[in-house]
Amino acid sequence: MGLGMAMFSFFTRKAAPAKKHDEHKGPLVAIIEDEQDLAQILKFAFEAEGFSVMTAPNGEIGLAMVRDRKPAIILLDIKMPRMNGYQVLATLHQDPSLAPVPVIVMTSVASEENITDEEWAKRLGVARFLSKPFLPEAIVKAVREVLAEKAD
């Protein structure tokens, strides 16, 4: 099954009745992603699972949003206009109020080195590193795992 069909299958299985944003009671997920189609797919997937979601199209807006709302977790793209994900990570790590917020990096940035996603996560100081493309259910699962680890 191709990625498109898998995403369609995920959404037809998980589709929940439409809710207003404030009706979501779950943890707040910040999605900082310039590919708006992907951001909307992820937003829908997380809301279908009961999470609250906020999205930003670039690092500058994302940092302002994160400072204002203090999410439970941040999903961060690396290649973005205005302020890339590396710059966002550096800023997050330097801010004592934001440094504890777990970050999952999701990117299509390829490495010339032959290292695993786990090694990338260690090098960047993030909770997880996911290479694009991925299925929405994979990132929902990763978020649940990271939030459970943080709660322990």
Side-chain angles (χ1 to χ4, degrees), residues 1-12 38 41 133-136:
M1 174 176 357
L3 181 60
M5 285 305 296
M7 283 185 177
F8 178 76
S9 171
F10 175 80
F11 291 126
T12 56
L38 177 57
I41 288 169
F134 49 75
L135 295 174

Side-chain angles (χ1 to χ4, degrees), residues 96-148:
S97 70
L98 298 176
V101 178
V103 176
I104 294 178
V105 167
M106 46 184 198
T107 188
S108 59
V109 173
S111 168
E112 292 182 17
E113 301 174 50
N114 190 18
I115 62 173
T116 65
D117 287 355
E118 291 79 20
E119 182 61 28
W120 267 116
K122 281 184 192 174
R123 287 183 183 193
L124 295 175
V126 298
R128 295 279 197 292
F129 183 98
L130 296 175
S131 298
K132 292 179 184 175
F134 49 75
L135 295 174
E137 54 203 0
I139 198 154
V140 169
K141 179 182 178 200
V143 164
R144 288 192 188 284
E145 290 171 355
V146 170
L147 291 177

Side-chain angles (χ1 to χ4, degrees), residues 25-149:
K25 303 292 188 218
L28 179 59
V29 177
I31 301 170
I32 306 174
E33 168 64 64
D34 65 320
E35 293 179 41
Q36 289 307 296
D37 290 344
L38 177 57
Q40 288 306 307
I41 288 169
L42 293 174
K43 181 178 190 297
F44 181 84
F46 280 101
E47 287 179 347
E49 293 290 326
F51 288 86
S52 297
V53 179
M54 58 186 185
T55 63
N58 64 55
E60 286 178 357
I61 294 170
L63 275 175
M65 177 180 72
V66 166
R67 284 184 178 122
D68 183 51
R69 306 244 344 252
K70 303 291 189 286
I73 193 163
I74 299 167
L75 304 180
L76 179 64
D77 187 20
I78 293 296
K79 289 175 58 176
M80 293 184 292
R82 302 178 101 181
M83 178 182 246
N84 69 39
Y86 297 120
Q87 294 166 315
V88 172
L89 275 175
T91 304
L92 291 171
H93 289 213
Q94 293 170 1
D95 185 328
S97 70
L98 298 176
V101 178
V103 176
I104 294 178
V105 167
M106 46 184 198
T107 188
S108 59
V109 173
S111 168
E112 292 182 17
E113 301 174 50
N114 190 18
I115 62 173
T116 65
D117 287 355
E118 291 79 20
E119 182 61 28
W120 267 116
K122 281 184 192 174
R123 287 183 183 193
L124 295 175
V126 298
R128 295 279 197 292
F129 183 98
L130 296 175
S131 298
K132 292 179 184 175
F134 49 75
L135 295 174
E137 54 203 0
I139 198 154
V140 169
K141 179 182 178 200
V143 164
R144 288 192 188 284
E145 290 171 355
V146 170
L147 291 177
E149 290 167 8

